[in-house]
């Protein structure tokens, strides 16, 4: 028998979906009273509690969650009993442990009043109530409320909240919580108070409180049924010029959700607050969204097109949660994708409708391919609905969010727009005010559309990315084309064998002139006279026959990326080049270019490893030139088409990821393209100079994007003329998109201007934290040697603080997760750096520490030397005493 090590004693507990049971007690109302001071805030909580009639438990013990709380007093008053006296509980009435408070022998109906004390200033985990830049704010999802007060902290306990906040009047003139403001007043000693009431029952993870000295920008929105909703955006006074974009996006979102999903807003006001220190992007608290300032503040001088675009998506996302998440919420945290997958799908559709649909789809797929596919193939692989977790914060993943959105998108593809809308209407109607499961969502879709999605549920149960193989045959005499599809999914941790998935595969056929053929599909999923069909692959192997095809067609497969799968059948380069030039499906045309580039990259990597001289395929240069000079192609899309697959995606496609070779080959191709197409690139760069003020619209964004793509290729030539063009752009542009594009190119290449430009940029923007984050990020991602040394010295810069998650992400995160070649330096310095940062961050903010470990998640995909060094660092982390559950879970699973 093994001796008990300190690790196994403290090994955190795993929570399983199969152990779910309904809450034993329900809370009908919560009356909260906050007396705010920075280091000692008193929270009085009055809960009206009753035994849950649906619970089969005979226990009369009430278990409440609580963490880092100082318990001051508890009183209990039984309701409906003859001796309904208020009883002050003593230590013999309850059991107080590290993370729970169990009160024994409680009646069926009672009022519980608990007073606790907390220290917001010392709360650096940024969960619960904390201080950020002199304001109080909260983050309660998933389990932050238990750091505010003792409570059954689970989403299926929904209560009506009334909240009163007391605070210093001068420092905290603005006091906010969920719902409607019902009362306020002064109370002497320069303090004041405000009461808020939320008319909708909600789980405690949607509770929010904000207190601060804030500027408020107001607007108003009239709903489809004529209700006026007051919109308030609260920011620090210095940011008052950065509000316009977010408010415009909010109004766009409100209109879009009415038109597209029939969802109207339900309170008299909607508030957004920008906060500097925030672990996530934003939080959908009922009526009071709290945003990471980087996801809401924008001005042309300080924000890039990408920022504007992202803000639009996130404002939409949080707003859409008002229905998909708040009105209908999750029964338990295993159902997280019920609200997140659905809401990401909704925000993607919104962004797609507001901007270029093809570019949005490419962005969505890039996230999947660059991050989700590797998660699905690694030690942290988990189904869209996980079966178990140690720390739920670790499951706010690309799988739950982005693959979850793909799963909803596939339902949309199978049902069509109208059918999907019928299903979602029914879901919201049936479950309004309830905490439900993924099955409830899928059942609503099924019953409104008379379709059986039971096999489809495998997408929720099984981890791993399915692989699709295809083969084709053409019978010229019978004019018949046959496509055979096969599916396979590799084992993932805890799931050795997989059942077949139900996979919608959108296809089209082209003739040799690149024209679309009309389809005549025989059999079950018949589709005739259409330009494209959705094939439903349900079996391990399935054959689809198309009649009246007069010549051997070229297959356009998985249009719009209709399922999150990998196509593993290798196609001849000539076919990929043909599709890159001709596919009428924008997504597939881009994708063919990516596959062609990937194929070339992978074979050049082999050449490079064998020590051969590299040569770039002439056909590829020609295909690239055609795209570059294709004036009918939308600029944003063209810019995407001219990009090569990312280093991390290429690494995933290699059996052993040789990050040095990947980096060298990718740069070699870029240099060759620049050499061969220099004149074309320069012409295009010069033809899209925009005059006039910055505007956030598709046309201008597309022009900036193509222009900066051309400049990035030209800079590969290491020619002093282009360095100068870059400096000119850096100095003379009126918008951050062009300034930062130029500066990051200067920082990426050896030239005489880089240090001066970096210094002048800092000089100009030192007062703006969000702009300085960009300054950190471009230095952390520089491909020049000694970047790690630079990162280390920047950690001592006065503008850096490890307590601010945005700074950690910009500097440490971008280096470890975004600078593949340097992070994986064969001397192991990057690995050692990451381990050190994880350990020091874990003591302050475990959520942020745990996310950085991703840098090690693929450690088995590298050569022995790198594997060993990564493992040593993982071992070093896990042997540390007092590790958080967050870090423990990720490291132990990564090592398993
Ligand atoms: Zn969300």
């Amino acid at each position: 028998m093994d001796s008990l090590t300190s690790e196994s004693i403290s090994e955190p507990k795993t929570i399983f979906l199969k152990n779910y049971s309904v809450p034993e007690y329900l809370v009908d109302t919560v009356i909260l009273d906050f007396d705010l001071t920075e280091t000692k805030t008193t929270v009085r909580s009055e809960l009206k509690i009753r035994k849950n009639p649906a619970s089969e438990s005979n226990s009369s013990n009430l278990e409440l969650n609580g963490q880092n709380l100082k318990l001051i007093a508890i009183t209990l008053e039984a309701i409906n009993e003859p001796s309904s006296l208020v009883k002050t509980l003593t230590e013999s009435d309850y059991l107080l442990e590290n993370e729970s408070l169990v009160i024994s022998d409680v009646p069926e109906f009672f009022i519980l009043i608990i007073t606790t004390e907390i220290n917001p200033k010392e709360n650096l985990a940024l969960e619960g109530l904390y201080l950020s830049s002199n304001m109080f704010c909260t983050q309660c999802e998933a389990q932050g409320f238990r750091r505010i007060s003792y409570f059954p902290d689970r989403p299926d306990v929904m209560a009506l909240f009334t909240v009163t906040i007391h605070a210093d009047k001068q420092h905290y003139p603005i006091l906010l919580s969920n719902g409607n403001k019902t009362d306020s007043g002064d109370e002497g000693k320069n303090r004041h108070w405000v009461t808020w009431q939320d008319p909708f029952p909600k789980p405690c993870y949607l509770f929010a409180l904000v207190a601060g000295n804030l500027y408020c920008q107001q607007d108003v929105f009239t709903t489809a049924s004529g209700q006026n909703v007051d919109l308030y955006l609260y920011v620090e006074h210095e940011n008052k010029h950065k509000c316009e974009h977010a408010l415009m996006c909010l109004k766009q979102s409100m209109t879009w959700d009415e038109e597209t999903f029939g969802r109207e807003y339900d309170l008299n006001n909607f508030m957004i607050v920008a906060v500097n220190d925030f672990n996530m992007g934003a939080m959908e608290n009922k009526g009071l969204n709290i945003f990471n300032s980087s996801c809401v503040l924008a001005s042309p001088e300080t924000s890039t097109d990408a920022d504007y675009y992202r803000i639009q998506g996130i404002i939409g996302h949080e707003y859409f949660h008002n229905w998909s998440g708040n009105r209908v919420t999750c029964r338990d945290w295993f159902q997280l994708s019920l609200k997140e997958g659905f809401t990401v799908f909704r925000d993607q559709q919104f962004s797609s409708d507001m901007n270029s649909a093809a570019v949005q789809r490419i962005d969505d797929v890039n996230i999947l391919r660059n991050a989700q596919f590797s998660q699905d193939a690694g030690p942290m692989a988990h189904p869209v609905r996980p079966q178990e977790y140690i720390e739920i914060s670790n499951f706010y993943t690309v799988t739950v969010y982005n693959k979850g959105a793909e799963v909803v998108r596939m339902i949309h593809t199978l049902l069509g727009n109208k059918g999907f809308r019928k299903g979602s209407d029914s879901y919201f109607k049936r479950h309004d005010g309830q905490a439900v499961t993924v099955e409830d969502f899928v059942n609503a879709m099924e019953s409104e559309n008379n379709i059986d999605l039971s096999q489809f549920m495998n997408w929720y149960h099984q981890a791993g990315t399915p692989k699709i193989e295809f083969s084709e045959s053409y019978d010229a005499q019978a004019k018949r084309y046959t496509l055979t599809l096969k599916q396979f999914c590799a084992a993932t941790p805890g799931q050795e064998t997989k059942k077949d998935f139900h996979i919608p595969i959108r296809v089209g056929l082209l003739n040799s002139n690149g024209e679309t053929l009309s389809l005549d599909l025989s059999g079950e999923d018949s589709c005739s006279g259409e330009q494209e069909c959705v094939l439903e692959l349900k079996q391990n192997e399935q054959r689809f026959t198309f009649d009246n095809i007069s010549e051997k067609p070229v297959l356009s497969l998985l249009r719009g990326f209709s399922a999150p799968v990998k196509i593993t059948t290798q196609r001849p380069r000539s076919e990929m080049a043909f599709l890159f030039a001709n596919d009428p499906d924008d997504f597939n045309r881009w994708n063919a270019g990516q596959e062609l580039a990937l194929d070339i990259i992978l074979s050049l990597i082999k050449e490079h490893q064998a020590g051969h001289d590299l040569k770039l395929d002439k056909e590829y240069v020609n295909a690239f030139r055609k795209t570059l000079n294709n004036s009918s192609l939308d600029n944003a899309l063209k810019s995407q088409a001219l990009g090569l697959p990312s280093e991390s995606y290429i690494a995933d496609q290699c059996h052993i990821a040789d990050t040095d070779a990947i980096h060298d080959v990718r740069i070699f191709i870029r240099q060759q393209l620049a050499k061969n197409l220099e004149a074309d690139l320069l012409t295009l760069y010069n033809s899209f100079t925009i005059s006039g003020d910055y505007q956030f619209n598709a046309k201008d964004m597309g022009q900036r994007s193509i222009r900066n793509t051309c400049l990035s290729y030209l800079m590969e030539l290491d020619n002093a003329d282009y360095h100068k063009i870059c400096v000119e752009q850096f100095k003379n542009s009126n918008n951050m998109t062009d300034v930062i594009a130029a500066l990051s190119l200067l920082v990426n290449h050896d030239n005489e201007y880089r240090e001066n430009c970096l210094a002048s940029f800092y000089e100009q923007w030192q007062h703006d934290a969000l702009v300085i984050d960009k300054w950190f990020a471009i230095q952390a991602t520089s491909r020049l040697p000694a970047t790690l040394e630079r990162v280390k010295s920047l950690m001592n810069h006065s503008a850096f603080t490890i307590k601010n998650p945005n700074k950690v992400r910009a500097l440490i995160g971008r280096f470890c997760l975004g600078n593949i070649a340097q992070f994986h330096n064969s001397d192991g310095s990057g690995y050692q750096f990451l381990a050190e940062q994880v350990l020091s961050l874990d003591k302050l903010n475990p959520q942020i520490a745990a996310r950085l470990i991703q840098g090690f998640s693929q450690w088995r995909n590298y050569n022995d030397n790198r594997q060993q060094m990564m493992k040593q660092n993982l071992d070093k982390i896990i042997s540390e005493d007092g590790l958080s559950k967050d870090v423990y879970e990720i490291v132990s699973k990564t090592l398993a």
Side-chain angles (χ1 to χ4, degrees):
M1 217 179 114
D2 230 19
S3 66
L4 275 179
T5 65
S6 62
E7 270 169 46
S8 55
I9 292 171
S10 62
E11 196 170 300
K13 205 170 81 192
T14 299
I15 304 184
F16 295 94
L17 169 60
K18 60 176 190 241
N19 293 344
Y20 173 85
S21 60
V22 299
E24 292 173 17
Y25 289 87
L26 299 175
V27 181
D28 290 325
T29 59
V30 183
I31 301 170
L32 289 169
D33 190 283
F34 288 83
D35 198 20
L36 295 178
T37 64
E38 283 85 349
T39 54
K40 195 176 103 175
T41 285
T42 309
V43 185
R44 181 186 184 277
S45 158
E46 184 176 329
L47 311 176
K48 196 170 173 192
I49 301 179
R50 68 188 155 94
K51 180 95 185 165
N52 182 1
S55 169
E56 284 163 9
S57 161
N58 295 320
S59 161
S60 58
N61 290 342
L62 170 73
E63 184 173 348
L64 304 173
N65 308 99
Q67 222 178 319
N68 293 2
L69 302 173
K70 185 173 166 195
L71 180 61
I72 304 295
I74 317 178
T75 62
L76 189 152
E77 180 184 358
I79 310 174
N80 301 340
E81 281 185 26
S83 57
S84 60
L85 286 172
V86 179
K87 182 185 171 197
T88 301
L89 302 189
T90 63
E91 279 174 33
S92 62
D93 300 312
Y94 57 81
L95 178 65
L96 184 58
E97 292 196 320
N98 226 352
E99 298 193 4
S100 69
L101 169 68
V102 182
I103 303 171
S104 38
D105 224 5
V106 298
E108 300 241 321
F109 297 91
F110 59 103
I111 290 171
L112 193 64
I113 300 172
I114 307 178
T115 309
T116 47
E117 245 174 52
I118 47 181
N119 185 340
K121 195 173 179 183
E122 270 185 15
N123 181 355
L124 299 177
L126 314 185
E127 290 177 272
L129 177 71
Y130 62 94
L131 273 176
S132 168
S133 313
N134 303 320
M135 68 195 269
F136 287 91
C137 61
T138 53
Q139 170 58 28
C140 292
E141 185 178 357
Q143 299 180 330
F145 193 78
R146 62 186 61 184
R147 291 165 178 263
I148 293 173
S149 180
Y150 287 100
F151 197 80
D153 188 355
R154 44 188 290 170
D156 54 356
V157 171
M158 301 169 84
L160 288 168
F161 280 66
T162 304
V163 179
T164 301
I165 310 165
H166 311 253
D168 181 272
K169 206 173 164 178
Q170 200 183 344
H171 292 103
Y172 307 104
I174 305 284
L175 303 175
L176 309 174
S177 190
N178 318 83
N180 302 310
K181 193 197 273 192
T182 54
D183 207 357
S184 63
D186 283 346
E187 59 188 12
K189 285 190 189 161
N190 203 25
R191 288 177 78 80
H192 68 147
W193 59 274
V194 174
T195 297
W196 291 83
Q197 218 164 34
D198 185 350
F200 294 94
K202 65 170 177 289
C204 64
Y205 83 86
L206 290 172
F207 163 79
L209 175 157
V210 168
N213 183 355
L214 300 165
Y215 167 79
C216 177
Q217 182 131 334
Q218 280 193 52
D219 209 326
V220 71
F221 178 82
T222 307
T223 67
S225 63
Q227 299 296 311
N228 278 341
V229 180
D230 292 317
L231 311 177
Y232 303 92
L233 175 54
Y234 292 94
V235 302
E236 287 178 80
H237 291 275
E238 68 210 43
N239 291 323
K240 59 183 180 193
H241 60 294
K242 294 188 178 182
C243 295
E244 215 170 284
H245 180 59
L247 279 170
M248 183 195 77
C249 296
L250 177 58
K251 289 185 283 182
Q252 285 174 338
S253 309
M254 296 176 91
T255 305
W256 185 88
D257 213 16
E258 289 178 351
E259 288 171 356
T260 315
F261 278 89
R263 301 295 110 198
E264 261 192 52
Y265 189 63
D266 51 14
L267 285 165
N268 302 331
N269 58 58
F270 187 84
M271 300 174 279
I272 294 178
V273 183
V275 170
N276 292 331
D277 303 283
F278 205 67
N279 284 345
M280 314 282 249
M283 178 62 211
E284 70 263 24
N285 317 299
K286 183 76 187 188
L288 176 56
N289 285 191
I290 297 182
F291 271 63
N292 185 324
S293 52
S294 71
C295 300
V296 58
L297 302 175
S299 75
E301 302 76 30
T302 60
S303 312
T304 61
D305 289 338
D307 295 329
Y308 272 78
Y309 199 92
R310 197 180 68 247
I311 288 166
Q312 187 180 43
I314 298 180
I315 293 271
H317 179 96
E318 305 308 329
Y319 173 75
F320 302 145
H321 267 315
N322 189 52
W323 276 95
S324 51
N326 300 2
R327 290 284 288 255
V328 184
T329 192
C330 302
R331 187 194 72 174
D332 54 74
W333 290 119
F334 295 101
Q335 318 297 329
L336 183 57
S337 196
L338 174 74
K339 76 176 177 79
E340 294 305 341
F342 187 22
T343 306
V344 171
F345 170 74
R346 276 152 56 69
D347 84 54
Q348 289 175 348
Q349 294 294 87
F350 166 64
S351 295
S352 174
D353 287 348
M354 295 293 126
N355 306 288
S356 152
V359 171
Q360 175 63 33
R361 191 63 191 135
I362 291 168
D363 284 348
D364 301 342
V365 173
N366 273 332
I367 293 174
L368 277 182
R369 284 183 174 162
N370 294 332
Q372 200 281 323
F373 281 9
S374 57
Q375 182 164 71
D376 240 351
M380 274 296 289
H382 55 274
V384 167
R385 180 171 61 189
Q387 301 290 315
E388 58 175 86
Y389 61 76
I390 292 175
E391 171 53 63
I392 186 57
S393 302
N394 286 332
F395 286 82
Y396 284 70
T397 60
V398 277
T399 299
V400 167
Y401 277 63
N402 300 77
K403 187 177 178 182
E406 293 299 316
V407 172
V408 174
R409 180 179 300 276
M410 286 189 283
I411 298 178
H412 184 269
T413 300
L414 288 168
L415 304 184
N417 214 12
K418 272 191 187 153
F420 187 85
R421 172 67 193 271
K422 270 201 286 181
S424 75
D425 282 353
S426 153
Y427 168 70
F428 289 126
K429 194 171 165 201
R430 287 182 193 188
H431 300 296
D432 191 7
Q434 296 176 5
V436 302
T437 63
V438 162
E439 278 79 4
D440 293 315
F441 177 76
V442 175
N443 287 344
M445 292 289 166
E446 275 181 317
S447 60
E448 292 300 316
N449 289 281
N450 208 6
I451 180 177
D452 178 5
L453 293 172
S454 46
Q455 186 189 354
F456 186 87
M457 287 302 292
N458 289 338
W459 285 107
Y460 284 105
H461 305 319
Q462 299 187 146
T465 307
K467 292 178 176 159
I468 307 286
E469 263 177 36
F470 72 92
S471 59
E472 312 166 86
S473 70
Y474 179 65
D475 181 340
Q477 217 159 26
K479 295 189 175 178
R480 178 172 293 155
Y481 168 79
T482 307
L483 175 66
T484 306
L485 298 172
K486 269 194 216 176
Q487 59 168 305
F488 168 76
C489 185
T492 52
Q495 288 184 335
E496 279 310 306
T497 56
K498 308 278 182 181
K499 293 179 184 153
D500 286 328
F501 290 88
H502 177 180
I503 309 174
I505 298 190
R506 194 186 294 277
V507 297
L509 297 175
L510 308 183
N511 68 15
S512 53
N513 295 327
E515 291 153 358
T516 300
L517 296 172
S518 158
L519 301 181
D520 183 0
L521 174 67
S522 50
E524 239 182 274
D525 320 306
S526 62
C527 118
S528 88
E530 306 287 334
Q531 309 255 306
E532 55 182 26
C533 292
V534 175
L535 310 178
E536 295 189 35
L537 177 60
K538 292 177 171 173
Q539 295 156 26
N540 186 254
E541 179 172 345
Q542 225 168 309
R543 196 178 281 193
F544 301 90
T545 307
F546 297 86
D547 290 315
N548 300 314
I549 303 291
S550 53
E551 62 172 300
K552 184 177 185 299
V554 178
L555 171 66
S556 167
L557 183 65
L558 202 67
R559 284 190 164 176
F561 204 68
S562 61
V565 298
K566 286 182 188 172
I567 307 284
T568 52
T569 304
Q570 192 63 36
R571 307 183 80 161
R573 281 189 194 169
S574 58
E575 233 174 73
M576 292 189 265
F578 176 84
L579 290 167
F580 186 33
N582 295 302
D583 202 317
D585 183 83
D586 284 338
F587 174 85
N588 265 22
R589 183 163 50 195
W590 166 81
N591 191 53
Q594 295 290 296
E595 280 183 27
L596 181 59
L598 182 65
D599 191 48
I600 290 166
I601 290 168
L602 293 178
S603 57
L604 285 178
I605 287 173
K606 281 186 195 141
E607 298 285 311
H608 185 66
Q609 287 166 332
H612 298 156
D613 280 346
L614 301 184
K615 259 185 76 188
L616 183 59
D617 189 335
K618 277 218 176 78
E619 297 277 337
Y620 181 66
V621 177
N622 284 335
F624 199 91
R625 187 198 313 272
K626 260 193 207 160
T627 305
L628 191 64
N629 296 328
N630 179 348
S631 56
S632 64
L633 200 57
D634 165 68
N635 278 319
L637 196 56
K638 187 189 284 189
S639 177
Q640 294 275 6
L642 298 178
L644 298 180
S646 71
E647 290 185 15
S648 66
Y649 180 62
I650 301 165
D652 278 344
Q653 313 307 309
C654 300
H655 178 56
I656 292 175
D658 180 346
T659 45
D660 298 321
I662 292 170
H663 184 71
D664 293 349
V665 163
R666 206 170 166 279
I667 288 181
F668 167 78
I669 297 177
R670 288 177 54 82
Q671 285 169 342
Q672 290 301 306
L673 290 169
K675 244 183 225 171
N676 283 286
L677 305 170
E678 185 177 355
D680 306 66
L681 287 163
L682 188 59
T683 309
L684 204 55
Y685 176 79
N686 285 326
S687 64
F688 285 124
T689 313
I690 305 168
S691 55
D693 288 345
Y694 172 89
Q695 291 198 42
F696 174 68
N697 62 41
K699 180 169 162 276
D700 285 10
M701 279 199 291
Q703 294 194 357
R704 282 187 286 268
S705 174
I706 192 68
R707 206 163 168 264
N708 287 320
T709 298
C710 290
L711 185 58
S712 83
Y713 276 103
L714 291 167
M715 282 292 281
E716 297 290 357
L717 296 171
D718 254 337
N719 170 331
D721 290 345
Y722 298 125
H723 297 166
K724 278 187 205 146
I725 290 186
C726 224
V727 173
E728 288 303 303
Q729 179 174 321
F730 169 73
K731 285 187 178 158
N732 301 331
S733 302
N734 68 351
N735 65 84
M736 183 54 79
T737 309
D738 290 335
V739 170
I740 206 79
L743 183 60
S744 59
L745 288 171
L746 290 166
V747 171
N748 233 351
H749 295 270
D750 203 9
N751 61 77
E752 57 187 293
Y753 310 103
R754 60 193 298 260
E755 294 303 330
N756 278 342
C757 290
L758 272 173
S760 77
F761 186 86
Y762 181 77
E763 182 70 20
Q764 186 180 357
W765 295 112
Q766 52 185 311
H767 59 277
D768 191 314
L770 295 177
V771 178
I772 294 307
D773 289 345
K774 298 183 198 303
W775 184 75
F776 282 126
I778 57 174
Q779 294 181 78
T781 44
S782 168
R783 70 194 204 197
L784 291 180
T787 292
L788 178 56
E789 293 318 305
R790 172 66 71 114
V791 168
K792 285 180 180 168
S793 78
L794 284 171
M795 285 181 67
N796 296 317
H797 194 283
S798 59
F800 183 82
T801 163
I802 201 160
K803 292 178 186 171
N804 175 258
N806 287 355
K807 293 278 175 290
V808 172
R809 278 185 279 254
L811 191 59
I812 304 171
R814 289 305 296 275
F815 177 78
C816 297
L817 308 175
N819 196 337
I820 304 290
Q822 308 242 1
F823 171 66
H824 289 284
N825 191 322
S826 57
D827 66 5
S829 54
Y831 304 152
Q832 200 190 335
F833 173 71
L834 174 56
E836 284 163 9
Q837 300 318 314
V838 167
L839 287 174
S840 70
L841 262 168
D842 194 38
K843 295 187 173 66
L844 313 172
N845 189 330
Q847 276 188 25
I848 299 296
R851 258 171 255 163
L852 285 177
I853 305 166
Q854 258 178 53
F856 290 139
S857 64
Q858 303 299 311
W859 66 281
R860 285 192 176 87
N861 291 8
Y862 293 84
N863 66 19
D864 290 347
N865 179 41
R866 288 194 170 107
Q867 280 199 24
Q868 241 175 37
M869 290 190 294
M870 280 193 259
K871 183 167 185 301
Q872 274 167 11
N873 282 291
L874 285 163
D875 286 336
K876 185 178 154 202
I877 297 175
I878 200 132
S879 60
E880 186 85 0
D881 283 339
L883 219 53
S884 69
K885 280 194 255 183
D886 309 57
V887 167
Y888 172 83
E889 176 171 35
I890 306 263
V891 176
S892 60
K893 287 182 174 168
T894 304
L895 281 167

